[in-house]
Amino acid sequence: MIPSGIFTTRSEEETFQLGRDLARGFQGSETVLLVGDLGAGKTVFAKGIAAGLEIDEESGVCSPTYTLINIHQGRCSLYHIDLYRLEGAEEIADLGWEDFIGRAVVVVEWAEKLPFPIEGIRVAIEVEEGDTRRISISA
Ligand code: ADP
Ligand code: MG
């Protein structure tokens, strides 16, 4: 079950758990579009998704900022993508989306940079006071 709605988390752990709970219901072909500023908690949420897919913690889900795409294997495959460093629309288009969208769980950080629409579950994280985050999930 995808818990669509608006959630408030008050720690990194709570954001992780929200991502994990979301992904526990995944079949293996979902796309998650993560939107939010630097330090909002996108990577924390992505780590939760990995946990929900039963990806070992040793597999080291981290920010793929330098590698662009990290692939992990759990009960299904996870493609973890970060568009932060990509400049042009062309560079983003060249990632080979058609090879994995709909064929694996795909998590995109900085999805607002996508130059073309991709259907998916949109997760927007906003920083509030201190460690509080407002997370809106819409399928
Ligand atoms: P992003 O990938 O969006 O740039 P990260 O997930 O790498 O952000 O980092 C989020 C940072 O914010 C971490 O240092 C984390 O400990 C901190 N943090 C504090 N409160 C929260 C929260 N409620 N949810 C997620 N991260 C939080
Ligand atoms: Mg990140």
Side-chain angles (χ1 to χ4, degrees), residues 8-16 34-47 62-65 80 82 84 109-110 125-127 129-135:
T8 298
T9 67
R10 293 184 175 82
S11 65
E12 174 174 340
E13 181 62 17
E14 282 183 25
T15 297
F16 178 93
L34 285 168
V35 172
D37 290 340
L38 198 63
K42 299 180 296 298
T43 299
V44 168
F45 195 91
K47 285 180 181 176
C62 59
S63 177
T65 296
H80 183 197
D82 192 321
Y84 185 60
E109 294 194 37
W110 294 98
I125 308 179
E126 282 172 56
V127 179
E129 285 262 288
D131 288 349
T132 303
R133 302 289 189 271
R134 184 178 185 273
I135 304 180

Side-chain angles (χ1 to χ4, degrees), residues 15 25 34 37-38 45 56 59 63-64 76 81 98 104 116-117 130 136:
T15 297
L34 285 168
D37 290 340
L38 198 63
F45 195 91
D56 284 345
S59 129
S63 177
C76 41
I81 302 170
E98 57 287 352
F116 40 79
S136 108

